[in-house]
């Protein structure tokens, strides 16, 4: 495996982009020949470990744990914490203006309510207004803890509301369904129906989350219970006419967690299937990687606080969304005392951080369409520089060299998406994220 080790050294040191195009092509041809010789003897996971960075040149994704989350920021984007308990967030573009609005449920000794934080910022820079209680015709559900989830369950183009909770008299968890009788831009919710579409009560609370876990075109329901079990209601109906089957407890390899295992789904490793995150009583984030497929899920053994995540303070109710519109999934976690913790996702599929190495240059505009200006910091001007643009699969898609303190990178030939601009200046290496519209 000497060739793979040599390629790894070249890429990580920044020497790779200094090679001529002919030299790089010859090495890549040899790498692919090596891959064809050994691929039948090793699994994809083993091949990634053997080839490491060299895997990018034969089309294998680099990182097994591809994401990295920053330390949490408390109550970001102008959020005002709820004065009650159990802040359980859910994101939805409820007014169809292209950004994520925030809803939270809470706990009250009398009856719970739903708080609405309108996003008055943008898709790239969210800013949340002061909360409104029970907007759009939402009525008090008569439950003592409210856990909201949104889904266009009838496929009519607007988002419907589901509230899980605890019915104290019955000590059971039911789902309250508010059909959106308004529109995608002007929501209006009807009076709630309890356990529609064949749903049944769970034991002590229900924390609902919808996902098309079997990739059949309709939304299935995962309902977490207060004592840490997961009830799975498969949608055996259609995308427009749902009908939920009798629940299965802890399917697909999911295991019971310690109390209040609030679920959230995302394809965090970009392999085409949905992975599962669950908060829990002590504030930890539990991760179940989907090692199956989009059609046949199979969840691996739970990992606690992966990707740099840290516990919240007492309970963890996660909601996942691309809040800064940079192509990855961020996490907003609600806590027992009504506070919010925001974990920004700062790493991409290639395993390259958004800001890596020396602070050598800046890019503007960013996002960009046809061209982006690269500006050197003053102390770095006058050197010979090598610049490459790398896509999310780790492939170098464009290279340039220059000696001036600024240059314009022509990017009109690149498809819209997320890239990295990597600059090498003598012994300095720096990487910046670039979004192409």
């Amino acid at each position: 495996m000497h060739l793979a080790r040599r390629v790894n050294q070249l890429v990580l040191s920044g020497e790779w982009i200094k090679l001529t195009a002919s030299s790089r092509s010859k090495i890549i041809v040899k790498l692919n020949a090596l891959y064809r010789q050994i691929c039948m003897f090793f699994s994809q996971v083993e091949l990634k470990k053997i080839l490491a960075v060299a895997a990018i040149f034969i089309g294998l994704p680099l990182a097994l744990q591809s994401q990295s989350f920053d330390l949490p920021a408390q109550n970001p984007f102008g959020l005002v914490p709820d004065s009650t308990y159990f802040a359980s967030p859910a994101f939805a573009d409820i007014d169809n203006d292209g950004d994520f609005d925030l809803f939270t449920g809470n706990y009250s000794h009398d009856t719970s309510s739903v708080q609405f934080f309108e996003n008055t910022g943008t898709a790239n820079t969210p800013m949340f207004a002061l909360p409104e209680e029970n907007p759009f015709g939402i009525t008090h559900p008569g439950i003592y803890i409210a856990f909201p989830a949104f889904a266009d369950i009838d496929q009519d183009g607007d988002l419907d509301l589901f509230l899980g909770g605890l019915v104290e008299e019955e000590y059971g968890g039911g789902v309250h369904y508010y059909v959106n009788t308004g529109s995608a831009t002007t929501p209006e919710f009807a009076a709630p129906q309890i356990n529609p579409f064949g749903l049944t009560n769970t034991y002590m609370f229900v924390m609902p989350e919808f996902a098309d876990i079997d990739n059949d075109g309709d939304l299935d329901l995962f309902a977490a219970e207060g004592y840490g079990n997961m009830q799975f209601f498969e949608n055996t109906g259609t995308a427009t006419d749902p009908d939920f089957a009798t629940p299965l407890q802890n399917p697909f390899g999911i295991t019971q967690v310690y109390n209040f295992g609030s679920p959230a789904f995302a394809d965090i490793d970009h392999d085409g299937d949905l992975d599962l995150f669950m908060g829990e009583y002590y504030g930890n984030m539990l991760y179940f990687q989907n090692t199956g497929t989009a059609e046949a899920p199979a969840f691996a053994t739970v990992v606690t606080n992966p990707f740099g995540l840290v516990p919240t303070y007492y309970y963890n109710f996660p909601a996942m969304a691309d809040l800064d519109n940079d192509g990855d999934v961020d996490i907003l976690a609600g806590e027992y005392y009504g506070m919010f913790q925001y974990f920004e996702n700062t790493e991409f599929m290639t395993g390259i951080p958004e800001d890596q190495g020396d602070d050598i240059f800046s890019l503007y505009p960013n996002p960009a369409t046809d061209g982006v200006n690269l500006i050197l910091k003053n102390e770095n001007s006058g050197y010979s520089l090598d610049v490459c643009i790398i896509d999310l699969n780790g492939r170098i898609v464009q290279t340039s060299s220059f000696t001036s303190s600024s240059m314009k990178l022509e990017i009109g030939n690149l498809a819209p998406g997320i890239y990295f601009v990597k600059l090498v200046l003598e012994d300095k290496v720096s990487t910046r994220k670039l979004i192409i519209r």
Side-chain angles (χ1 to χ4, degrees):
M1 303 305 174
H2 174 74
L3 178 62
R5 288 196 297 270
R6 177 60 179 155
V7 171
N8 291 328
Q9 292 170 357
L10 288 170
V11 173
L12 294 175
S13 68
E15 294 296 318
W16 174 258
I17 64 172
K18 295 183 179 181
L19 298 177
T20 65
S22 175
S23 297
R24 290 196 298 264
S25 295
K26 289 178 181 178
I27 294 174
I28 291 172
V29 168
K30 291 180 180 179
L31 269 177
N32 278 274
L34 169 65
Y35 172 69
R36 287 192 295 272
Q37 292 173 16
I38 67 174
C39 66
M40 65 186 70
F41 302 108
F42 299 96
S43 70
Q44 294 288 293
V45 172
E46 291 169 325
L47 284 169
K48 291 173 188 175
K49 293 179 180 178
I50 293 167
L51 296 169
V53 177
I56 64 179
F57 300 109
I58 55 176
L60 289 175
L62 273 178
L64 296 179
Q65 291 193 350
S66 58
Q67 309 298 298
S68 177
F69 291 92
D70 205 352
L71 291 174
Q74 185 168 284
N75 301 326
F77 314 126
L79 285 172
V80 177
D82 197 325
S83 58
T84 55
Y85 299 96
F86 287 92
S88 53
F91 288 107
D93 184 4
I94 199 65
D95 48 12
N96 200 32
D97 63 351
D99 55 39
F100 285 105
D101 305 298
L102 175 65
F103 291 78
T104 67
N106 58 32
Y107 165 81
S108 170
H109 291 290
D110 298 319
T111 185
S112 59
S113 64
V114 174
Q115 303 288 329
F116 168 60
F117 299 80
E118 182 184 2
N119 189 344
T120 57
T122 67
N124 297 329
T125 309
M127 180 59 62
F128 293 102
L130 292 175
E132 302 175 46
E133 184 171 305
N134 295 331
F136 313 123
I138 298 172
T139 55
H140 286 284
I143 53 181
Y144 289 84
I145 301 179
F147 298 97
F150 286 87
D152 184 5
I153 200 67
D154 49 11
Q155 285 286 295
D156 64 350
D158 54 39
L159 291 171
D160 307 298
L161 170 63
F162 291 79
L163 281 182
L166 169 67
V167 181
E168 192 169 49
E169 293 83 358
E170 301 175 9
Y171 210 63
V175 175
H176 292 65
Y177 167 58
Y178 298 76
V179 62
N180 189 343
T181 57
S183 66
T185 56
T186 309
E188 185 68 27
F189 293 104
Q193 306 170 42
I194 299 178
N195 292 334
F197 314 123
L199 294 172
T200 56
N201 272 9
T202 61
Y203 179 68
M204 189 185 176
F205 306 107
V206 54
M207 289 163 275
E209 180 74 1
F210 288 92
D212 185 5
I213 199 66
D214 48 11
N215 201 33
D216 64 351
D218 55 39
L219 291 171
D220 308 297
L221 175 63
F222 288 80
E225 296 180 327
Y227 285 127
N229 285 310
M230 180 74 77
Q231 302 294 338
F232 169 63
F233 294 84
E234 182 184 2
N235 189 345
T236 56
T238 66
T240 57
D241 187 17
D243 185 30
F244 292 101
T246 302
L248 300 175
Q249 182 167 291
N250 300 326
F252 314 125
I254 298 170
T255 53
Q256 184 179 9
V257 303
Y258 183 72
N259 286 7
F260 286 87
S262 180
F265 285 93
D267 182 8
I268 200 69
D269 50 9
H270 302 282
D271 63 351
D273 54 41
L274 292 172
D275 308 295
L276 171 62
F277 288 78
M278 295 178 71
E280 52 92 68
Y281 179 87
Y282 288 113
N284 291 304
M285 188 74 77
L286 308 178
Y287 171 59
F288 294 83
Q289 182 187 10
N290 190 343
T291 56
T293 66
E295 293 77 24
F299 292 102
T301 302
V302 64
V303 177
T304 301
N305 298 324
F307 315 127
L309 293 167
V310 295
T312 60
Y313 182 71
Y314 206 38
Y315 292 84
N316 184 332
F317 303 107
M320 309 190 77
D322 184 3
L323 281 181
D324 48 11
N325 200 33
D326 64 353
D328 57 33
V329 177
D330 310 298
I331 298 175
L332 185 73
E335 296 181 329
Y336 176 75
Y337 289 108
M339 308 292 269
F340 301 100
Q341 302 293 339
Y342 171 61
F343 298 85
E344 182 183 0
N345 191 335
T346 58
E347 194 171 349
F348 289 87
M349 187 174 177
T350 57
I352 303 173
E354 291 187 36
D355 293 297
Q356 173 179 294
D358 295 291
D359 186 17
I360 300 174
F361 71 100
S362 60
L363 296 172
Y364 81 91
N366 191 7
T369 303
D370 297 317
V372 60
N373 297 295
L374 186 154
I375 308 297
L376 286 178
K377 301 299 176 66
N378 290 334
E379 65 271 18
N380 296 308
S381 61
Y383 291 92
S384 176
L385 305 169
D386 294 299
V387 178
C388 65
I389 299 178
I390 305 168
D391 69 13
L392 278 179
N393 291 316
R395 298 183 178 89
I396 297 173
V397 296
Q398 185 172 307
T399 60
S400 304
S401 296
F402 67 104
T403 56
S404 61
S405 60
S406 65
M407 70 175 297
K408 185 174 183 178
L409 300 175
E410 300 294 339
I411 56 174
N413 61 319
L414 298 178
I418 299 168
Y419 297 82
F420 295 94
V421 177
K422 182 176 181 180
L423 185 149
V424 179
L425 183 153
E426 292 191 332
D427 59 343
K428 299 178 181 179
V429 179
S430 187
T431 304
R432 296 287 178 268
K433 178 183 63 185
L434 170 64
I435 301 174
I436 299 179
R437 298 290 190 212

